[in-house]
Amino acid sequence: MNSRKIEVLVGLFVALAAAALIMLALKVADRGLSGNGETYILKAKFDNIGGLKVRSPVKVGGVVIGRVGNISLDDDDFTPVVTLIIGKEFDKFPQTSSVSILTSGLLGEQYVGLQPGFMLDENDVLKPGQYIEDTKSALVLEDLIGQFLFSRNND
Amino acid sequence: MEWFARLGRSTLQGLAGLGRAAYLLVGALVARPQLKNIPLTIRQMYVVGVQSLLIIIVSGAFIGMVLALQAYTVLVDYGAEESLGPMVALSLLRELGPVVTALLFAGRAGSALTAEIGLMKATEQLSSLEMMAVDPLRRIIAPRLWAGVISMPMLAIIFSAVGILGGQVVGVDWLGVDSGSYWSVMQAAVEFDEDIMNGVIKSLVFAFVVTWIAVFRGYDSVPTSEGISQATTQTVVYSSLAVLGLDFVLTALMFGTH
Amino acid sequence: MEDLVSVDNLTFSRGDRLIYQDISLRLRKGKTTAIMGPSGIGKTTLLKLIGGQLRPDSGDIRFKGESIPGMGRKRLFEVRRQMSMLFQSGALFTDISVFDNVAYPLREHTNLSEQLIRLLVLMKLQAVGLRGAAAMMPSELSGGMARRAALARAIALDPELIMYDEPFAGQDPISMGVLVKLIKELNDALSLTSVVVTHDVTEVMSIADYVYILADKQIIGEGTPEQIRSHQSPLVQQFLLGRADGPVPFHYPAENIAQQLLENY
């Protein structure tokens, strides 16, 4: 086998691997070439985060705009603080926006739903690092059942 | 008493072997990578990489197809066929791609490396290099080590890509899962950094360990036909065990904490 | 006469087995020295000791007055460029052609242009009569041709010392004649210092200037071929004439045969 042929075959091998990686990146992970991956951070305090996990999606009307970056407990009032990592291109949410923890389907994963509020003023957009004030906690099945039974008893 | 002596002896032998393996690694990697070595490395990439392509592509396709078939029968009971995409893709990218590629690589290329180096030792080619004032670690070991470390992650990527396509053939074309949901649910679930890159990192670690074991077993073999066959077997056994053990550790580190 | 290599009071053992006990010998510059002895006494080991691949337990080996066991790895590699070894199997690199094999040391150790290397390689191959086989792969060569190709590679860098490890073992009479002629010619033409390790008595006696006979961990005889032929030691005579029995017994040490045969009765 002469070395020229070997070089060509190894070159093809490398090209094939590169093509496979590009296919994985674009078609499997959908990492668009446009999104350069820059992000900013928003924070929100919840009473209860239910089954929310790090890397759960953040959605607006079903569109994924970011992921949960970190979940911690506030030192002072012991409420969970969720850090949201949002794509840079979605940086125009008003301060009156609300976030809630929702469940996809009956038994599906939990995610953070962001409901954009009214824009009162041009300067009222959420800035990086800012807390979103209006939050709704996760629905916990046990609480729901408890409430249901409680209201039945009252009837 | 005899039992303790044996334990001590095998511990010492094990440590000595580990020392020799480390010496080989340092000698091969610290030996300044020379321009002259690049054609040698390309040649070895042909031997360990290109020649392993067929087995990798065929196995990848079949494993993707089997995964899709198995997952479908379970998922369809819960009406969750659309999760077939992420199921196939994540299994391949995180686990099966790197692990099965490493096992196949150990059997296909690792054993060949051991046998080749062992025979070079038996036919005095290694001694002859030494006498020519050429460090065999540089001429023989380093190009093979690099070729293995470069080739295996590429093979693993190809394996996963082919497997996902194989899953599509079975899931979408045969079992009738919607093509759009196969891909879009997969896209929503698979993260480039988290899943694909971690798989590649796993594969790099396996590549390093498997190739290291293979070249060391060959270099350290007893240069007789019996010794070489033993070394070849050891390469396959040790690298398979190392891959599976390391896979657990790496999985725990990468995906286990949250 | 000047010594290129001198071995002084060398003791070497492999594991528990003592191989050399306190031997001394010298290789004179420009001469062919033969080291003979029965198989399995570690003659090859001696060459590896001279080449610095093994370290002696005690004693010293000097190349041009410089101690080989005392050298660092870097210096040893420099010194090895002045010596060269022809291995018993030839030890050609099986993955490259004969031409590339011979070119290998040149490419590795010199910065000569590819044109010049080609010229040199063809000349070396011409010297061993294998110019026509330059494009062949080592697996296509016969045993004798492989050894000649390896010889061409060994002289590629014009070494001062060349060590032949059993060059005649397993060769047919013609190849043997060719090799004897080559060793002699190369030694004279290139004014090399040669050391031939062998147990082929007749061949080596015709080319050697000085002969050492090794047996039983020691040197049992030395001298010019004529002196050796008329050597007093019965061991030397047994070796030279190839007698089956003598000081080196035909039988491997064993208990009395009558006793062993009767053991189970």
XYZ file of all heavy atoms in Angstrom, chain B residues 24 27-28 31 37 117 120 125-144 219, chain C residues 53 73 77 80 93 104:
281
model
N 7.065 3.578 29.953
C 6.787 3.530 28.514
C 5.975 4.745 28.078
O 6.274 5.387 27.083
C 6.025 2.246 28.202
C 5.390 2.132 26.811
C 5.918 0.918 26.097
C 3.889 2.071 26.882
N 8.092 7.837 28.252
C 9.076 7.793 27.158
C 8.445 8.098 25.818
O 9.026 8.774 24.982
N 7.224 7.578 25.618
C 6.595 7.766 24.311
C 6.005 9.161 24.163
O 6.032 9.731 23.087
C 5.494 6.721 24.115
N 8.975 12.029 24.618
C 9.827 12.094 23.428
C 9.214 13.140 22.522
O 8.101 12.990 22.069
C 9.840 10.746 22.729
N 7.629 12.057 12.678
C 6.707 11.048 13.178
C 5.304 11.175 12.610
O 4.503 10.267 12.748
C 6.627 11.127 14.706
C 7.626 10.187 15.352
O 8.210 9.363 14.660
N 7.817 10.324 16.634
N 3.647 -5.475 17.941
C 4.804 -5.029 18.710
C 5.525 -6.220 19.324
O 6.757 -6.275 19.362
C 4.369 -4.009 19.780
C 3.849 -2.757 19.077
C 5.529 -3.642 20.687
C 3.224 -1.752 19.992
N 7.587 -7.698 16.707
C 8.757 -6.850 16.453
C 9.827 -7.122 17.495
O 11.018 -7.107 17.206
C 8.378 -5.383 16.552
C 7.686 -4.875 15.331
S 7.375 -3.130 15.560
C 6.848 -2.725 13.927
N 13.438 -6.485 16.062
C 13.364 -5.162 15.432
C 13.507 -4.043 16.460
O 14.075 -2.998 16.168
C 12.034 -5.003 14.693
C 11.928 -5.897 13.487
C 10.634 -5.689 12.730
O 10.240 -4.586 12.440
N 9.973 -6.773 12.401
N 12.994 -4.306 17.662
C 13.094 -3.270 18.695
C 14.542 -3.101 19.146
O 15.052 -1.989 19.275
C 12.189 -3.605 19.884
C 10.690 -3.651 19.587
C 9.905 -3.905 20.856
C 10.216 -2.358 18.960
N 15.214 -4.239 19.365
C 16.631 -4.184 19.734
C 17.430 -3.487 18.657
O 18.338 -2.708 18.927
C 17.204 -5.590 19.881
O 16.844 -6.121 21.106
N 17.071 -3.825 17.423
C 17.796 -3.274 16.293
C 17.661 -1.756 16.243
O 18.623 -1.041 15.949
C 17.261 -3.957 15.041
O 17.390 -3.154 13.941
N 16.476 -1.255 16.568
C 16.293 0.198 16.631
C 17.172 0.802 17.707
O 17.821 1.834 17.500
C 14.842 0.523 16.947
C 13.886 0.550 15.784
C 12.473 0.683 16.295
C 14.208 1.722 14.880
N 17.169 0.136 18.874
C 18.002 0.612 19.972
C 19.451 0.720 19.510
O 20.124 1.710 19.774
C 17.952 -0.398 21.131
C 16.724 -0.320 21.975
C 16.989 0.416 23.276
O 18.166 0.420 23.699
O 16.049 0.981 23.834
N 19.906 -0.314 18.807
C 21.303 -0.308 18.383
C 21.551 0.732 17.304
O 22.668 1.135 17.080
C 21.704 -1.697 17.860
C 21.936 -2.722 18.938
S 23.079 -2.170 20.210
C 24.557 -1.926 19.231
N 20.476 1.127 16.606
C 20.639 2.186 15.609
C 20.534 3.545 16.269
O 20.383 4.554 15.580
C 19.544 2.077 14.572
C 19.928 1.316 13.366
S 18.549 1.458 12.251
C 18.227 -0.219 11.991
N 20.538 3.556 17.582
C 20.431 4.805 18.328
C 19.105 5.494 18.061
O 19.017 6.705 17.995
C 21.597 5.739 18.027
N 18.071 4.682 17.829
C 16.729 5.241 17.681
C 15.903 4.688 18.829
O 15.914 3.491 19.082
C 16.097 4.812 16.345
C 14.671 5.309 16.260
C 16.912 5.340 15.193
N 15.218 5.563 19.530
C 14.428 5.116 20.658
C 13.161 4.435 20.144
O 12.341 5.073 19.496
C 14.062 6.343 21.505
C 13.456 5.938 22.823
O 13.091 4.762 22.954
O 13.374 6.799 23.709
N 13.001 3.135 20.403
C 11.795 2.460 19.899
C 10.519 3.061 20.466
O 9.473 2.994 19.829
C 11.951 1.006 20.343
C 13.127 0.939 21.206
C 13.878 2.220 21.126
N 10.613 3.660 21.630
C 9.412 4.301 22.181
C 8.947 5.404 21.238
O 7.766 5.664 21.100
C 9.703 4.885 23.565
C 10.007 3.879 24.659
C 10.245 4.589 25.975
C 8.883 2.886 24.798
N 9.906 6.029 20.592
C 9.562 7.135 19.704
C 9.133 6.633 18.335
O 8.164 7.109 17.762
C 10.767 8.049 19.569
C 10.420 9.503 19.507
C 11.650 10.322 19.226
N 12.103 10.085 17.886
C 13.384 10.077 17.522
N 14.322 10.287 18.405
N 13.729 9.843 16.282
N 9.877 5.671 17.815
C 9.600 5.222 16.452
C 8.400 4.284 16.397
O 7.624 4.300 15.451
C 10.851 4.524 15.892
C 10.650 3.593 14.707
C 10.261 4.347 13.463
N 10.400 3.578 12.232
C 9.621 2.573 11.863
N 8.665 2.150 12.648
N 9.812 1.975 10.698
N 8.242 3.447 17.413
C 7.218 2.407 17.351
C 6.024 2.747 18.236
O 4.878 2.669 17.801
C 7.797 1.042 17.804
C 9.002 0.672 16.956
C 6.742 -0.040 17.751
C 8.705 0.385 15.514
N 6.294 3.101 19.472
C 5.205 3.231 20.438
C 4.442 4.545 20.248
O 3.215 4.553 20.162
C 5.733 3.135 21.880
C 6.508 1.832 22.073
C 4.584 3.209 22.876
C 5.728 0.586 21.870
N 5.167 5.650 20.165
C 4.493 6.953 20.128
C 3.500 7.079 18.963
O 2.348 7.468 19.189
C 5.512 8.081 20.109
N 3.874 6.736 17.721
C 2.893 6.900 16.642
C 1.642 6.052 16.863
O 0.529 6.491 16.576
C 3.635 6.411 15.399
C 5.055 6.422 15.738
C 5.156 6.244 17.217
N 1.828 4.856 17.414
C 0.666 3.983 17.632
C -0.227 4.536 18.728
O -1.454 4.500 18.641
C 1.144 2.574 17.967
C 1.611 1.840 16.716
C 2.432 0.610 17.025
N 2.794 -0.103 15.810
C 3.723 0.292 14.957
N 4.394 1.406 15.187
N 3.988 -0.406 13.878
N 4.925 -4.451 24.127
C 6.304 -4.055 24.406
C 6.877 -4.886 25.545
O 8.070 -5.179 25.584
C 6.319 -2.571 24.776
C 7.688 -1.942 24.799
C 8.362 -1.690 23.613
C 8.298 -1.596 25.996
C 9.602 -1.106 23.622
C 9.547 -1.009 26.008
C 10.193 -0.766 24.817
O 11.433 -0.203 24.825
N 22.935 -2.324 25.677
C 21.531 -2.662 25.910
C 21.355 -3.369 27.239
O 20.265 -3.400 27.786
C 21.010 -3.560 24.781
C 20.841 -2.795 23.487
C 20.046 -3.590 22.485
O 20.396 -4.712 22.136
N 18.970 -3.014 21.999
N 22.066 8.031 28.888
C 21.331 7.569 27.716
C 21.674 8.376 26.463
O 21.812 7.844 25.375
C 19.840 7.691 28.022
C 18.947 7.026 27.009
C 17.530 6.949 27.552
N 16.614 6.476 26.537
C 16.498 5.207 26.164
N 17.269 4.295 26.716
N 15.629 4.853 25.239
N 23.453 6.911 23.049
C 22.870 6.975 21.722
C 23.843 7.596 20.725
O 23.875 7.214 19.566
C 21.547 7.765 21.760
C 20.354 6.899 22.024
C 20.450 5.815 22.886
C 19.146 7.138 21.407
C 19.362 4.998 23.129
C 18.048 6.323 21.638
C 18.151 5.265 22.501
N 26.355 4.906 19.965
C 25.808 3.814 19.161
C 25.783 4.137 17.671
O 25.678 3.243 16.839
C 24.385 3.495 19.615
C 24.358 2.570 20.800
C 22.938 2.194 21.097
N 22.829 1.539 22.375
C 21.696 1.447 23.048
N 20.608 1.987 22.576
N 21.654 0.828 24.201
N 12.784 -3.937 9.301
C 11.437 -3.478 9.647
C 10.481 -4.023 8.604
O 10.614 -3.726 7.419
C 11.385 -1.957 9.682
C 12.377 -1.378 10.635
C 13.202 -0.342 10.254
C 12.510 -1.896 11.911
C 14.132 0.185 11.128
C 13.434 -1.391 12.792
C 14.253 -0.348 12.399
N 16.638 4.080 6.380
C 16.122 4.476 7.682
C 17.147 5.185 8.578
O 16.895 6.298 9.051
C 15.493 3.277 8.402
C 14.791 3.692 9.644
C 13.552 4.301 9.584
C 15.397 3.561 10.886
C 12.919 4.745 10.707
C 14.769 4.004 12.025
C 13.531 4.598 11.926
O 12.916 5.049 13.047
